[in-house]
Each structure stands twice: as structure tokens, then as C-alpha cells.
Amino acid sequence: MDKPSREAVAGAMDAAVKWVRECRSLCVLTGAGVSAESGVPTFRGPEGLWKRRDPVSLATPEAFAEDPKEVWEWYQWRRRKIRGCAPNAGHRALAAVEAVKPDFLLVTQNVDGLHRAAGSRRLAEIHGNIWTVRCVGCGAERYEQGDFTDLPPRCGACGGLLRPGVVWFGEMLPREASGEAMEMLSRCEVLIVAGTSAVVAPASGYAAMAKRRGARVIEVNPDETPVSGICDATFRGKSGEVLPALLG
Ligand code: OAD
């Protein structure tokens, strides 16, 4: 498709800003691309994590059962990388929206904690959080930001294996976060989908769900995705630049 003219993009932005400003209920779905400008690697694309590593060997319960040390080494590496990253203008714009939109929910597939670090509180982390750890034995969960000296780490209470508090392929989403997301998707008037390749279920279906009910769907992504075709507006730019313009 031809690149839209500068005027066409400006016109689409004016319309989208109006939808966002006038709607009573706003939902935003984010993915790894929203943290890309903070230096957190995405999963897909030429520089993506899944280019060099196989998700089945690192992000499944089966991989963890077979080699918890290898899985933990990868998560420790990611935790170290994310520790050096700060929220960007896109995260901050999303956090600021909470003050002006009483009915708002930010649904994220990201586990990096950068939305919370930016100040977002009305947040559903549907893939969990990389800074929480959970015991596979007794189920105890805690927040742990430091490195573990011995991998895989073990539970202080029962000696069971600790696992990262994230959702792996083949696992259920956390009930509360997923329920909140579903409720919001069933009533939002506008859904912004930012920085996700929209290929991993169930979030890949959220745009279609909202659209079927008549919500306006806005996409923010430098690249086309499987949901681009159903969007009412698409902005082919970086979320750190487009989100502040859209939400400002
Ligand atoms: P992906 O890595 O699949 O997709 C990132 C998207 O962000 C791509 O569509 C990029 O075009 C876009 N992007 C890159 N830079 C951007 C920028 N500056 N601004 C906006 N968009 C940008 O990440 P997700 O869609 O989040 O799950 O991946 C979904 C799930 O797959 C993840 O939660 C993870 C992964 O495997 C598990 O590990 C279970």
C-alpha cells in the first residue's frame, strides 16, 4: 500500500484524538514494541529474542521441567537487561491518561514492569511480571528484584523450585488480570492496540472482540500486523512518539 500523505496522517490523528478525548471508556492493549524505545528487546522481528532462541525451549512449562537452570539463566539475563531500562514517553503518556479517564484500563502483555514504573496503576498484566517469583511446590509468590546467586533458585519456606511469575506458552492467563481485561473489552468505546505483533492468543483476538461490539480500534505500530485491516485508524510510528500525540 502507498504511504499516506502527511495531510492524511494529520487528519487521521485529529479524528483519533477526538475519539479518545470524547469516549467514556478507554482500553489500551500493549505489547513488547512499547518498551522497545526503552531498550527492552522485542520477541519478533529481525532483532527479536525469538530470532536466536526457540520459545519452546525457554518459555514453556515443559522446558522448565526439563532444564530449570537453562530457563532461569535466560530469565536472569532478561531481568538484568530490563533493570537497566527506564520507561519512555509512551509509558508516561499511558500513565497520565488515568488522571483524566475515569473508566480506563491498560492491558499489557509485557512482563517488564515498565508501565508500573511509569506510574500506571489501572493495569492488567495478562502475561504476569518478570519481577515476581512463585514456588512450584507451595505456590508462595513474592516480588524479587535482585539477582539469584544459585540457579535455579529455591523456596525459602519449602525448598521447592522457584519459577518466574510469567505466563508461558500453553498456560492459563492469571484469572484476575484476564477477567479485568475481558470486562473492559466488553464495554470500551475505544481500544488502542500499541506495539504488539498480534499473533499470540488470546490478546491477538482482543481487537476483533472490541471491533465486533462497535468500539473504535486504533493501532500504533511501525509495521503492519494481522489486526491492521480491522482498525479504524493506524499510525505507523513508534509508540514513544505516537502515544503522547494521541493521548496528550
Ligand atoms: P512482538 O515482539 O511479537 O511484537 C512487537 C511489535 O512491536 C511488532 O509488531 C513491532 O512491529 C512493534 N514495534 C517495534 N518497535 C516499536 C515501537 N517503537 N513502537 C511501537 N511498536 C513497535 O511482541 P508481543 O506482540 O508483545 O509471550 O508478543 C506477544 C507475546 O509473545 C509476548 O508477551 C511473549 C511473546 O512470546 C510469552 O513469552 C508467553
Side-chain angles (χ1 to χ4, degrees), residues 30-37 41-45 48-50 55 59 74-75 78 109-111 127 166-169 194-200 220-225 237-240:
T30 63
V34 160
S35 295
E37 288 153 89
T42 60
F43 295 95
R44 296 170 185 82
L49 294 172
W50 297 152
W74 189 67
Y75 275 91
R78 280 181 66 200
Q109 300 167 86
N110 298 346
V111 298
H127 286 178
V166 301
V167 175
W168 284 325
F169 290 104
T196 176
S197 57
V199 293
V200 174
V220 179
N221 196 313
D223 296 324
E224 194 171 343
T225 76
K238 296 180 174 178
S239 50

Side-chain angles (χ1 to χ4, degrees), residues 171-188:
E171 292 186 315
M172 303 279 282
L173 299 192
R175 195 191 301 248
E176 198 182 326
S178 148
E180 281 173 358
M182 283 302 137
E183 269 181 37
M184 186 42 128
L185 286 161
S186 70
R187 70 170 188 273
C188 66

